[in-house]
Amino acid sequence: MKLSDQTLWVRHEAHGEIILNRPDKGNALTYEMLEDIWQICEAARKDRDLRAIVLRGAGERFFCTGGDIEAWGSLTPHDMGRDWILFGIEVFERLRKLPQPIIAAINGHCLGGGLELAMAADLRVCTARAKFGTPEVTLGMIPGWMGVRRLAEIAGVSRARHLTLLGAPITSDIAEHWGLVTAVAEDHAALDVKVAEWLDRMAGNGPSAMAIVKGLLETMHEDMAQHHASAVAQAAGTEDCKEGVQAFIEKRKPTYNNR
């Protein structure tokens, strides 16, 4: 398995760690990183000695700030839907459907596509300073990797509306109250302790039983990939999205004209 240097796969005795390795870029996701995660999932699916997977970001400020705008900002709406959104959905679905439990150890801010990635995990724990949000609407865009639906499933439709329409972040305490995470650790050391505790607990559980439980829970999801890809392509084709991207690049406030 040959990965880019933007993603690390660390195999321990009974579990593995996927580490998003772009701390200087907020661990923002690139196409290469999506391909890396796909490869890791392919290997993990066949690894019968692998009992669990931990997903985390390098550094102490960010878990993941979403899809790198340089990776998708210049794509045509058609290419956006086909090459970026559909592939990303397939990668996250492949991760979510692994037989092993996935723990998202959210060591910093978790935004946009980063939150969508975290929601592909089975369990989520974060540090107290972490913030969560879906800021896509501030760029004239929408969450593309099934984030709107996943938020509604996990936190409820009303709270999904709050996050996706305001585009403003929420604190770790609110995220725990809403069910986006099930535990909050005071700092990074406490985060590692909690993850180790969960891993130890899972090591004593039947791996086949956990895989079957995951399969049962999987039945609540319907295939909405094409619908989401179409919606993202529609948003990407607007003048407002072009303006949002350009304003981000130029570090100015965007001017939207509802076109």
Side-chain angles (χ1 to χ4, degrees):
M1 181 169 56
K2 184 173 176 58
L3 305 178
S4 74
D5 58 3
Q6 301 175 43
T7 315
L8 305 178
W9 170 242
V10 182
R11 183 67 165 84
H12 300 280
E13 183 177 353
H15 76 278
E17 292 194 18
I18 301 173
I19 304 173
L20 309 178
N21 192 35
R22 299 182 75 210
D24 57 327
K25 297 291 186 180
N27 294 318
L29 294 166
T30 64
Y31 192 85
E32 290 77 16
M33 293 168 78
L34 294 178
E35 290 184 318
D36 291 340
I37 297 172
W38 178 275
Q39 287 189 63
I40 292 169
C41 289
E42 283 296 286
R45 187 171 54 86
K46 304 169 186 174
D47 189 344
R48 298 186 65 84
D49 295 324
L50 184 68
R51 295 299 184 89
I53 295 173
V54 178
L55 178 63
R56 65 171 82 235
E60 297 189 353
R61 291 188 61 200
F62 303 102
F63 170 73
C64 178
T65 54
D68 192 329
I69 198 168
E70 293 182 4
W72 63 264
S74 62
L75 296 176
T76 66
H78 178 267
D79 290 344
M80 175 83 158
R82 181 194 63 191
D83 299 333
W84 182 247
I85 297 303
L86 279 179
F87 182 55
I89 290 174
E90 289 173 2
V91 170
F92 288 9
E93 288 293 284
R94 182 60 59 96
L95 179 67
R96 192 167 58 82
K97 291 179 179 179
L98 286 175
Q100 299 91 349
I102 312 296
I103 300 172
I106 302 169
N107 52 306
H109 299 332
C110 182
L111 306 171
L115 179 54
E116 292 177 298
L117 176 60
M119 289 191 293
D122 300 292
L123 298 172
R124 287 170 293 279
V125 56
C126 70
T127 55
R129 66 174 295 277
K131 290 186 178 180
F132 298 78
T134 54
E136 287 89 344
V137 290
T138 66
L139 297 174
M141 182 41 69
I142 66 171
W145 291 322
M146 304 288 281
V148 177
R149 181 177 177 84
R150 296 286 178 259
L151 275 172
E153 290 171 348
I154 294 171
V157 173
S158 178
R159 288 163 175 169
R161 286 191 175 115
H162 179 98
L163 274 172
T164 56
L165 297 179
L166 292 179
I170 59 173
T171 63
S172 60
D173 289 342
I174 295 175
E176 183 181 28
H177 180 65
W178 287 7
L180 285 176
V181 298
T182 54
V184 176
E186 184 59 33
D187 53 28
H188 288 81
L191 178 71
D192 289 340
V193 169
K194 175 57 69 173
V195 170
E197 176 188 316
W198 285 357
L199 289 171
D200 184 62
R201 183 77 182 184
M202 289 174 178
N205 296 338
S208 295
M210 290 191 293
I212 291 170
V213 168
K214 287 191 62 170
L216 288 172
L217 292 171
E218 186 65 32
T219 61
M220 71 177 290
H221 299 292
E222 297 178 3
D223 184 7
M224 295 288 289
Q226 293 292 336
H227 179 74
H228 269 72
S230 177
V232 171
Q234 180 182 351
T238 65
E239 291 300 321
D240 279 353
C241 181
K242 294 181 178 65
E243 164 63 12
V245 170
Q246 192 61 35
F248 179 87
I249 293 171
E250 296 174 359
K251 294 181 171 53
R252 60 175 174 80
K253 186 176 180 179
T255 301
Y256 294 128
N257 296 307
N258 197 23
R259 292 187 175 86

